[in-house]
Amino acid sequence: ERDKMTDKNNEIVKKIEKNGNRVSNSRLSSHACVHFEISFDRISLVGDLVESEELAFSSFISNSIYFNIFDLHASQIKGQSVDNVVYFEYDKFKGKAHERRNMRVEFNPNNLDQNLRKIIRDEFVSRMKNTGFSRLDLAFDCFENIKDYYVLSDAALKKTIIYGRNGEPETKYFGSRDSDRYIRIYNKKQEIKDNKDLEIEAEDYWRIEFELKRERTEKWATCFEDLNFLKPDYKTIDDFNLRSK
């Protein structure tokens, strides 16, 4: 059983460290191929702390220079890394009462240095069983303008569009926040300018985000499968009113 747990946890670690792949998606356009930088933007990892590891984990956390601790009891520990990029919570009795896994670790793998990566692998994942993801956020970044692309889905999707001050689409939402998959397409360059007052050099910078929850996290590799992103050729539409839609 210990070997099975190790194999499972090794798969988890590989997913955590899988970032920065360049891909192209031919379904994105009928006219051109847009290239994306893909990364996991947020990971919520859950599992059960192995009972025999409880004391060792508590000892590590209480003496670690990398974490600030909010609660520290024999069966309840809560805290976050000193740089606020990793949050964790362990509660044995709460997990048992709600019939759910008792350990949760949340982080953005893009913000982890080598020390924190090693700590998550050696001090968290290796001490857990029944490991899995409760949430995965995937980010598809591209340096092309995709605001005019039209999204077609093989399944029914609720759509909301937010327009900027110039009257052009700035953010598009697909699905609902409570569903297993929530999609957001937005002008990342504008977001950086608004939130950080920084102007990046690239002419265009857009992001497609997939927020996956529950069972959908196990199918993250196919999150794009039922979607088509098409850029209409408006010149072929003679009716002005139809073209403006």
Side-chain angles (χ1 to χ4, degrees):
E1 184 178 349
R2 181 73 182 180
D3 290 339
K4 289 181 181 178
M5 188 179 80
T6 301
D7 292 341
K8 172 70 172 178
N9 289 348
N10 285 339
E11 291 177 14
I12 295 288
V13 170
K14 287 178 182 178
K15 288 183 181 179
I16 291 173
E17 296 180 343
K18 186 178 177 62
N19 280 300
N21 296 323
R22 289 192 63 87
V23 304
S24 61
N25 191 322
S26 59
R27 293 170 66 96
L28 182 67
S29 173
S30 58
H31 304 291
C33 193
V34 177
H35 294 273
F36 288 98
E37 291 279 354
I38 303 178
S39 64
F40 291 105
D41 198 46
R42 173 179 168 178
I43 291 177
S44 293
L45 177 67
V46 292
D48 288 312
L49 183 65
V50 176
E51 198 164 341
S52 61
E53 297 287 342
E54 190 178 78
L55 185 60
F57 177 72
S58 177
S59 176
F60 164 76
I61 286 296
S62 60
N63 292 290
S64 176
I65 62 173
Y66 294 100
F67 290 90
N68 293 321
I69 308 304
F70 310 137
D71 292 309
L72 181 59
H73 306 284
S75 58
Q76 183 183 43
I77 310 171
K78 186 188 299 184
Q80 65 184 27
S81 59
V82 293
D83 54 4
N84 300 328
V85 298
V86 179
Y87 171 84
F88 76 91
E89 182 176 356
Y90 166 64
D91 193 322
K92 182 199 289 187
F93 298 116
K94 190 176 180 180
K96 195 171 186 179
H98 294 279
E99 296 184 339
R100 67 187 186 193
R101 286 169 280 195
N102 57 38
M103 174 81 86
R104 177 165 57 94
V105 189
E106 295 182 357
F107 53 90
N108 181 336
N110 298 298
N111 296 334
L112 300 181
D113 60 22
Q114 290 301 316
N115 285 330
L116 282 176
R117 283 180 181 270
K118 188 174 186 303
I119 286 171
I120 289 176
R121 183 187 67 215
D122 296 345
E123 306 296 342
F124 287 88
V125 179
S126 68
R127 300 182 192 276
M128 295 160 64
K129 63 181 180 179
N130 304 323
T131 46
F133 299 108
S134 62
R135 174 171 168 176
L136 283 177
D137 288 8
L138 275 78
F140 293 73
D141 291 322
C142 72
F143 294 94
E144 299 181 44
N145 192 341
I146 61 172
K147 69 178 178 62
D148 293 328
Y149 280 78
Y150 190 78
V151 180
L152 292 175
S153 172
D154 297 339
L157 277 181
K158 177 183 177 182
K159 179 173 72 172
T160 304
I161 300 178
I162 307 298
Y163 293 89
R165 294 174 188 150
N166 58 4
E168 295 186 344
E170 201 165 274
T171 307
K172 300 178 181 180
Y173 298 96
F174 298 89
S176 64
R177 205 63 192 261
D178 296 329
S179 62
D180 288 354
R181 183 183 64 174
Y182 186 57
I183 305 167
R184 180 184 177 210
I185 303 174
Y186 64 100
N187 187 336
K188 184 68 175 177
K189 178 177 179 177
Q190 189 64 47
E191 187 213 38
I192 292 173
K193 183 177 181 180
D194 292 343
N195 295 339
K196 300 181 180 179
D197 197 25
L198 293 175
E199 189 75 51
I200 65 171
E201 293 182 6
E203 184 176 351
D204 294 296
Y205 180 17
W206 282 73
R207 170 171 287 189
I208 303 176
E209 286 182 349
F210 285 80
E211 183 179 305
L212 308 176
K213 298 174 184 173
R214 297 175 284 274
E215 289 84 3
R216 199 66 183 251
T217 61
E218 298 297 325
K219 302 174 183 177
W220 63 269
T222 59
C223 65
F224 238 128
E225 201 168 63
D226 63 315
L227 300 174
N228 292 276
F229 288 70
L230 305 173
K231 187 174 184 179
D233 187 355
Y234 295 106
K235 295 178 181 179
T236 64
I237 303 176
D238 296 327
D239 188 326
F240 176 79
N241 292 326
L242 183 60
R243 186 189 305 179
S244 64
K245 294 178 182 179

